[in-house]
Amino acid sequence: MHIKNLILIVFVFTVLVGCKNEVKELPKSEEIKPEMKKKEVVYQVFTRLFGNTNTTNKPWGTLEENGIGKFNDFTDKALNEIKDLGVTHIWYTGVPHHDVITDYTEFGISNDDPDIVKGRAGSPYAVKDYYNVNPDLAVNVDNRLEEFEALIERSHKAGLKVIIDIVPNHVARNYQSLTNPEGTTDFGAEDDKTKTYDVNNNFYYNPGEEFKVPEWKHGYQPLGGEQHPLADSKFEEIPAKWTGNGSRASQPDVNDWYETVKVNYGVSPDGRKDFNELPEGFDNEDYKKHFEFWNGKTVPSSWIKFKDIALYWTAKGVDGFRYDMAEMVPVEFWSYMNSHVKMKNPDAFLLAEVYNPSLYRDYIKRGKMDYLYDKVQLYDTIKHVMQGHGSTDNIPPILQDLSDIEHHMLHFLENHDEQRIASPDFAGSAKKGKPAMVVSATSSTAPTMIYFGQEFGDAGAEDLGFGDPTRTSIFDYGSVPSYVRWVNDKKFDGGQSTKEELELRDFYKRLLNFTINSSALMGDYQDIQHYNHQNTEWYNDKVLSFVRWSDDEKLIIISNFNAENTYGFELQLPADLVQKLQLEDGDYDVKDQLYNQYTSTLNVENGKAKVRIDIKPLESFILKIN
């Protein structure tokens, strides 16, 4: 979800957990060692944009005008190409049935109101029906669920694990499932709407008040001002519900998440938690102990509904979930939810948005999350360096601060919420992402994530309607120009790609495939930045260097973030690191593993080591010590 006001989010979260139940950062403990042997790479793809080769891209264009991609566009060929890029997991964004403006009434689906829908294709984070999939994505709408199940099967055949979104904090204002499993009811179906709050109400209410559509500002009009029978600044909701970002106003602001309503997890408006809390020290227990703890306990209705949704998709072969705005939901719910998922699939990949660093350990250890976005620290810092403002010296302290949970902090440079690297508001050039990508992908054991089109340097420049360019639109119909060229009339071979696009994709392919096959990148890490600042002439804060090693692989990694200057110096390894690497005095060949061209010699003498480095602008080396 686009975060328009992070301060508001933090404030709302604070209100909902209440001052009496203040969440304190858990103490750092012994490093949580990863159980897996190789790194993982997540490929996030915005499903409706992937296979669309229509290049009209008219602002506020209809599905017929701008076209749309389908589940069936992910052919065996397409999926094998993604797998060969160096990918282990594919995150299909926008799969659950969310509000759309396209008319599907002939299929028994009610129309959605433009006054509570962002864009024409709708936000994937305003889910209308969790037990079915977006009708836009199907060739045959009646068989849309079967088409997605076939895509899961094709993905698995290609060797890819499947991730989809679950958005626990909020649902669409007009949530209505057409395909509830037997015994399952819609959110809010049993709510007592005469109460602002009840532990088993799924929503919060303003009894006696009617919902009002926001007052539009800055020239905004739904559908760009196009005439539509439902675009009348009215939407019937009595009583009014609280809005997804926590606004309690019956008429939310235009900057609120007005298209959604907040889900109640048993937290009263004054912050009281009407459910069991985890015992002291339970952060160190595994998911089986958490599952046992909740077994037999009464939990709020919303907990059960979302647990059932997760297990429904798990049973269909979905391998994991990306949880939207997880920190706005009590951590105890995550203990309940994730332990149930893990009991069905111990290998499930559970990724969450949490932006408050003081909550990281809580949501990993007590909430049993596998991975959180490393946005507020690593991403924000690297972005600053890429823009030419920041110092690479600010990166090692972040890695040190997160060292005890480093495996759980997923690294990325792009996703649907963030600006494209090549956009003028970010770096203005996809090439500036190359050294950053090497650092992001190799500095920890955590998974790496890339966003489709990142590997081609797409700039997200299209104005498709709702929202601003620099981010590829998640709200409207359209296509991604660089991706259209690679899709090449569904050949998925880059036949129309530019030379620069193919060269960039080749870089990503080399890097990602190296990472998923390297034992050193699942081993130990030591920073050599500070040591070289003190001891190496010409070393500077536009380069970053560190060492990764395992029993059978030793790597020196160095990246040059400067777009103009070549640097040359004698990079040094301190005596304690030489000892850890078990290097005897003598000369060792080192060779770059990305392009297999750059070679040098590591000289070890009297327990210290140095290697000559000549590194071009925006170049990186992964030097293997032989």
Side-chain angles (χ1 to χ4, degrees):
M1 166 157 305
H2 283 292
I3 304 193
K4 299 185 182 290
N5 194 331
L6 190 55
I7 294 172
L8 173 62
I9 293 172
V10 175
F11 170 75
V12 167
F13 182 85
T14 304
V15 168
L16 285 177
V17 299
C19 297
K20 299 173 194 171
N21 297 298
E22 183 181 353
V23 177
K24 292 188 173 140
E25 181 177 347
L26 290 176
K28 294 184 184 181
S29 60
E30 190 176 327
E31 180 183 353
I32 305 170
K33 288 287 185 183
E35 294 179 4
M36 70 190 65
K37 294 180 181 177
K38 296 291 169 67
K39 276 178 74 83
E40 294 175 311
V41 173
V42 179
Y43 190 80
Q44 182 193 3
V45 57
F46 205 81
T47 314
R48 78 161 95 96
L49 299 177
F50 172 78
N52 184 21
T53 56
N54 181 323
T55 57
T56 304
N57 283 345
K58 173 186 172 183
W60 299 100
T62 65
L63 184 153
E64 292 74 22
E65 289 171 325
N66 282 358
I68 193 168
K70 303 286 186 179
F71 290 133
N72 287 0
D73 290 331
F74 292 90
T75 62
D76 290 338
K77 164 71 170 171
L79 291 167
N80 284 326
E81 287 293 332
I82 292 170
K83 171 67 177 175
D84 290 346
L85 188 62
V87 173
T88 60
H89 293 65
I90 186 165
W91 167 17
Y92 293 110
T93 306
V95 166
H97 182 179
H98 58 78
D99 279 359
V100 299
I101 300 302
T102 301
D103 189 332
Y104 289 108
T105 51
E106 66 177 294
F107 301 99
I109 299 170
S110 60
N111 277 329
D112 299 319
D113 190 326
D115 291 311
I116 58 156
V117 178
K118 289 181 177 174
R120 189 182 290 276
S123 167
Y125 298 101
V127 176
K128 179 179 180 177
D129 182 357
Y130 263 114
Y131 287 104
N132 217 312
V133 298
N134 182 1
D136 277 349
L137 302 175
V139 173
N140 183 334
V141 175
D142 280 330
N143 293 334
R144 60 193 184 278
L145 194 55
E146 289 81 1
E147 288 187 27
F148 180 59
E149 290 170 337
L151 174 55
I152 296 173
E153 189 174 332
R154 287 197 303 281
S155 303
H156 288 164
K157 179 183 171 187
L160 294 165
K161 293 190 174 182
V162 172
I163 298 168
I164 65 170
D165 287 281
I166 288 183
V167 189
N169 179 66
H170 46 273
V171 296
R173 290 210 100 91
N174 58 332
Y175 188 93
Q176 180 190 27
S177 178
L178 298 178
T179 50
N180 279 332
E182 188 176 348
T184 303
T185 57
D186 282 349
F187 287 97
E190 289 92 24
D191 282 8
D192 182 348
K193 299 177 184 179
T194 67
K195 297 179 179 178
T196 299
Y197 163 82
D198 183 274
V199 65
N200 284 313
N201 275 0
N202 297 143
F203 305 125
Y204 299 93
Y205 296 93
N206 292 335
E209 297 183 22
E210 183 177 349
F211 170 78
K212 293 182 180 179
V213 171
E215 288 186 12
W216 307 126
K217 300 175 182 176
H218 310 300
Y220 171 78
Q221 290 181 293
L223 305 183
E226 176 192 311
Q227 293 297 308
H228 187 284
L230 295 176
D232 55 4
S233 293
K234 295 178 183 176
F235 176 75
E236 186 174 320
E237 179 182 287
I238 306 172
K241 304 181 183 80
W242 292 12
T243 295
N245 61 319
S247 170
R248 305 183 183 192
S250 295
Q251 183 177 30
D253 185 79
V254 68
N255 291 318
D256 289 327
W257 304 344
Y258 59 81
E259 78 279 25
T260 66
V261 290
K262 183 162 184 64
V263 175
N264 164 26
Y265 281 86
V267 180
S268 71
D270 65 0
R272 184 183 69 252
K273 293 182 176 181
D274 290 329
F275 46 79
N276 292 93
E277 296 194 52
L278 293 167
E280 193 73 26
F282 225 64
D283 47 296
N284 295 317
E285 300 291 355
D286 64 13
Y287 70 84
K288 294 177 183 176
K289 288 287 187 183
H290 281 247
F291 178 80
E292 290 171 9
F293 174 79
W294 295 112
N295 191 26
K297 288 185 172 60
T298 301
V299 297
S301 163
S302 298
W303 293 31
I304 298 168
K305 279 185 162 60
F306 268 107
K307 177 261 295 180
D308 289 346
I309 288 163
L311 296 184
Y312 170 85
W313 290 109
T314 298
K316 288 191 178 297
V318 169
D319 302 290
F321 304 103
R322 181 268 190 186
Y323 297 130
D324 186 81
M325 295 312 298
E327 70 189 89
M328 298 180 77
V329 177
V331 72
E332 291 86 357
F333 163 74
W334 292 116
S335 162
Y336 171 84
M337 171 86 148
N338 290 337
S339 63
H340 276 80
V341 172
K342 290 285 190 179
M343 289 298 289
K344 293 293 184 182
N345 178 12
D347 296 323
F349 188 103
L350 305 178
L351 167 65
E353 266 188 308
V354 175
Y355 294 127
N356 184 345
S358 71
L359 297 175
Y360 287 168
R361 291 166 183 83
D362 207 27
Y363 277 72
I364 292 168
K365 296 179 180 181
R366 293 204 301 145
K368 310 320 290 180
M369 293 295 183
D370 292 321
Y371 306 109
L372 310 179
Y373 281 14
D374 195 349
K375 180 199 183 303
V376 173
Q377 290 175 285
L378 188 65
Y379 166 86
D380 285 349
T381 302
I382 289 182
K383 181 176 182 178
H384 208 217
V385 175
M386 292 165 69
Q387 292 174 324
H389 311 307
S391 165
T392 56
D393 293 345
N394 294 323
I395 296 173
I398 291 170
L399 300 175
Q400 176 60 37
D401 182 59
L402 298 172
S403 61
D404 62 311
I405 54 169
E406 59 93 18
H407 176 65
H408 300 273
M409 301 306 299
L410 175 135
H411 292 183
F412 65 90
L413 294 180
E414 285 190 359
N415 64 46
H416 68 276
D417 279 327
E418 308 300 341
Q419 294 169 322
R420 291 286 198 179
I421 293 168
S423 71
D425 288 10
F426 189 154
S429 164
K431 291 180 180 178
K432 291 185 179 179
K434 293 172 75 174
M437 196 64 218
V438 170
V439 171
S440 181
T442 64
S443 57
S444 85
T445 64
T448 303
M449 183 170 78
I450 71 165
Y451 189 36
F452 86 121
Q454 179 180 342
E455 72 271 38
F456 300 114
D458 200 87
E462 290 65 46
D463 178 5
L464 295 179
F466 188 92
D468 298 321
T470 76
R471 295 174 175 86
T472 296
S473 174
I474 66 169
F475 302 107
D476 284 287
Y477 298 114
S479 61
V480 178
S482 64
Y483 225 83
V484 172
R485 291 190 284 274
W486 178 76
V487 168
N488 189 25
D489 297 323
K490 310 298 173 74
K491 297 185 186 73
F492 304 101
D493 61 1
Q496 298 177 41
S497 297
T498 66
K499 178 186 175 185
E500 291 77 13
E501 287 167 351
L502 292 177
E503 286 176 351
L504 188 64
R505 189 177 191 273
D506 176 65
F507 162 78
Y508 274 90
K509 186 172 183 177
R510 289 169 181 270
L511 174 62
L512 297 177
N513 275 287
F514 177 81
T515 67
I516 63 174
N517 289 296
S518 168
S519 63
L521 296 184
M522 293 304 288
D524 292 303
Y525 159 94
Q526 184 163 321
D527 162 54
I528 55 173
Q529 183 84 351
H530 182 66
Y531 183 81
N532 279 278
H533 263 312
Q534 290 186 320
N535 297 282
T536 301
E537 189 176 12
W538 307 115
Y539 194 86
N540 63 81
D541 73 346
K542 295 304 175 187
V543 297
L544 182 74
S545 59
F546 50 88
V547 175
R548 302 297 311 276
W549 73 95
S550 63
D551 289 341
D552 60 353
E553 187 179 44
K554 300 174 179 66
L555 306 174
I556 301 169
I557 299 170
I558 182 163
S559 289
N560 178 7
F561 283 80
N562 192 288
E564 285 83 36
N565 296 336
T566 293
Y567 297 115
F569 42 74
E570 300 286 334
L571 188 73
Q572 302 189 57
L573 307 186
D576 69 309
L577 179 57
V578 171
Q579 193 172 10
K580 291 173 188 174
L581 296 175
Q582 298 179 337
L583 297 174
E584 303 292 337
D585 281 8
D587 290 340
Y588 298 81
D589 292 332
V590 296
K591 186 174 184 179
D592 174 49
Q593 302 299 295
L594 281 176
Y595 290 97
N596 299 308
Q597 292 175 352
Y598 187 85
T599 60
S600 191
T601 301
L602 179 74
N603 172 258
V604 181
E605 188 175 345
N606 298 323
K608 291 186 178 182
K610 61 182 178 180
V611 56
R612 176 68 192 182
I613 299 293
D614 293 285
I615 191 165
K616 297 173 184 175
L618 303 178
E619 190 171 36
S620 296
F621 299 135
I622 300 176
L623 299 172
K624 185 174 180 179
I625 303 173
N626 297 310

